[in-house]
Amino acid sequence: MSTPRRIVIVGAGLAGASAALALRERGFDGEVTLFGRESHDPYELPPLSKGVLVGETDEPDWVAEPGHYADHGIDLRRDTEITALRPAEHVAVDAAGGEHRYDRLLLATGSRPRTLPGFDGAHLVRTLDDALALRAKLTEGARVVILGAGWIGCEVASAARTRGAAVSMADPLPLPLQRVLGAEVAAVFRDLHAEHGVTLRLGAKATGIDTRGDTRVVRLDDGTELPADVVVAGVGAVPRIELAEQAGLELAAGGVAVDAALRTSAPDIFAAGDIAAHDHPRYEGRVRVEHWDNAKRQGKHAAGSLLGADDPYTAGPFFFSDQYDLGCEYRGLADPATDELVMRGEPSTREFIAFWLRDGRVTAALNVNSWEHGDALQTLVDTRAAVTPEDLAKGDLAALAAATPR
C-alpha cells in the first residue's frame, strides 16, 4: 500500500477529530482535511447530558484547544457537509458542489437522534446547541416529560430534577435501561429516579401530543395524560450511513461493514465510530458501538490504518454514566437476557459490581459507585476470564485478573 498524500475525513465529531490529530502524532505530513456539519470545533458528547445540561459549564470537552487544528496543518472545514462520494475517482463532493480529491478517506459521520412521529418540537440532545436550548427550559417547576428511559433519558431526568423541574419519564419497557442491564440491575435505576422525585410511567408508550389552550399534554397508550411545558425525546440514535449507501459501500448490522482494521468494502475508504459495523476479533458477528470511548479509540486506530497499518482494532465497548449521586462504568458486551448475572455487593446500597457470565466466562462488568477495581475489571472482561461466580462475588479481583492468561 502506497503512502497517501491527501487524506479526507468526513465527520468532525470525536472519531473524525481523533483520527486527524493522531495522523499528525504519527508524523504524517501530507494534507489532512476534516469536514464537519457544525459551526463548532469538534467536541465530546458525554458532557452535554451531564455538566452542560445541569449548568456546571457552558462548554463541552473540546477534542483540542482552539487553534490546534490550524497550528498542526489540519484543514478544519466547519459548516460543510459532504453529500456524495465517487469512490472510483477518489472524490468527495460537498453540498455546494465542491469536489475534494483524496488518496484515503475516513467516514466518521456518527449518528443522529431518533425522532418520534407526531412529536414535532420535542427536544433532542445530540449537539451542544441542543443541550443549551434544552437547559434554558429546565427551570424550577417546569413540567418536563421525557420519552425514553435509556441512558440519555435517565441523564436528562437527573439534570432536570437537579435544576428543580418536575419530571415524568415514560418508556414502553417495565424498567429503565432494561435492555442493557437486565431486570435486577435496572431496578436499581428505577428506584434511584423514583427516590429523586421522577414520576415513572413505565410499560407505557407515548402516542401523541395534544395542545389544550396554553398547555401541551402527552398521551400514553395506557390512558395517562402528562401535562408538559417541555418534551424530550431520548429514544436512541440512528447511524448516518446515507453517504456510505450512496457510495455503494457494503452495509451490515445497521452500519458500514468494516474489517478488523476498519477498512470498508471500497479501496482506500475506512470507517470509524458509530457507523462502523466492525468485524471484531474478540466477538462473534459484527459489533457496532455508539459510545464516546469507541469513537475516540477507533478514530485513533483508523489513523494507523489510513497510513497502511494492518493492526486489528481489539478494544471492547466502554461507557460511563452519572445520575444524581450515582456514577457507573460499563465494560464489555453482555446479553442480560441470557448471560448469568453475578452481583458483588448489595445493589440496595448503590455501591456494587455486576458481572455477566457466558459459558463460565466474563462478558461484561458494571461498577456502580465503586472505583478501586477498574484495571482488574478491564482485564477480566478483555480476556473473557474463566472464573466461578463465587470468586467474582467474594474473591480478590486483582488476583483473579493477575492469574488470567493474556
Side-chain angles (χ1 to χ4, degrees), residues 354-368:
F355 294 94
W356 287 267
L357 294 175
R358 186 180 309 159
D359 299 326
R361 294 184 175 273
V362 178
T363 57
L366 173 79
N367 52 299
V368 175

Side-chain angles (χ1 to χ4, degrees), residues 78-350:
R78 305 173 190 81
D79 297 308
T80 305
E81 183 174 8
I82 297 297
T83 55
L85 300 178
R86 301 202 298 267
E89 302 171 48
H90 283 59
V91 169
V93 183
D94 65 35
E99 297 187 351
H100 309 274
R101 298 194 173 274
Y102 64 85
D103 298 318
R104 308 254 162 78
L105 180 140
L106 175 66
L107 278 175
T109 44
S111 298
R112 66 169 61 84
R114 192 181 301 277
T115 57
L116 288 171
F119 287 87
D120 295 343
H123 284 266
L124 306 171
V125 185
R126 188 68 188 184
T127 68
L128 175 58
D129 294 340
D130 289 341
L132 292 174
L134 175 57
R135 187 181 74 186
K137 295 186 178 181
L138 299 182
T139 56
E140 185 76 30
R143 296 168 298 181
V144 179
V145 174
I146 300 169
L147 308 178
W151 294 110
I152 288 295
C154 286
E155 291 183 356
V156 171
S158 172
R161 287 297 298 136
T162 300
R163 292 177 64 82
V167 178
S168 298
M169 185 162 59
D171 194 285
L173 293 178
L175 291 165
L177 304 166
Q178 184 168 343
R179 285 196 181 94
V180 179
L181 303 177
E184 185 173 345
V185 181
V188 173
F189 290 84
R190 175 200 59 200
D191 296 345
L192 172 73
H193 285 278
E195 289 175 18
H196 281 84
V198 176
T199 300
L200 296 169
R201 299 296 182 183
L202 301 172
K205 181 179 179 181
T207 58
I209 300 180
D210 294 334
T211 300
R212 300 172 186 171
D214 295 332
T215 301
R216 289 192 298 172
V217 176
V218 175
R219 290 180 280 105
L220 307 182
D221 62 2
D222 64 358
T224 300
E225 294 186 341
L226 302 172
D229 302 309
V230 184
V231 178
V232 183
V235 292
V238 179
R240 296 180 181 273
I241 59 173
E242 295 84 0
L243 192 56
E245 188 172 19
Q246 170 274 320
L249 305 186
E250 180 186 348
L251 306 179
V256 181
V258 296
D259 68 10
L262 306 179
R263 287 181 290 254
T264 73
S265 59
D268 300 319
I269 297 181
F270 300 76
D274 291 10
I275 65 169
H278 178 221
D279 186 10
H280 201 295
R282 283 179 28 213
Y283 298 102
E284 295 180 4
R286 292 188 177 275
V287 175
R288 192 177 67 79
V289 179
E290 296 178 358
H291 293 303
W292 150 87
D293 183 72
N294 183 70
K296 190 170 188 174
R297 288 175 180 251
Q298 277 196 350
K300 290 182 177 181
H301 191 92
S305 298
L306 287 162
L307 297 179
D310 195 37
D311 304 322
Y313 177 79
T314 60
F318 170 87
F319 63 86
F320 71 98
S321 183
D322 295 315
Q323 300 169 38
Y324 311 106
D325 56 354
L326 184 151
C328 63
E329 298 173 329
Y330 179 99
R331 295 168 171 84
L333 192 62
D335 180 355
T338 58
D339 291 353
E340 179 184 3
L341 174 66
V342 177
M343 301 296 292
R344 182 185 180 96
E346 174 51 54
S348 63
T349 67
R350 298 194 186 124

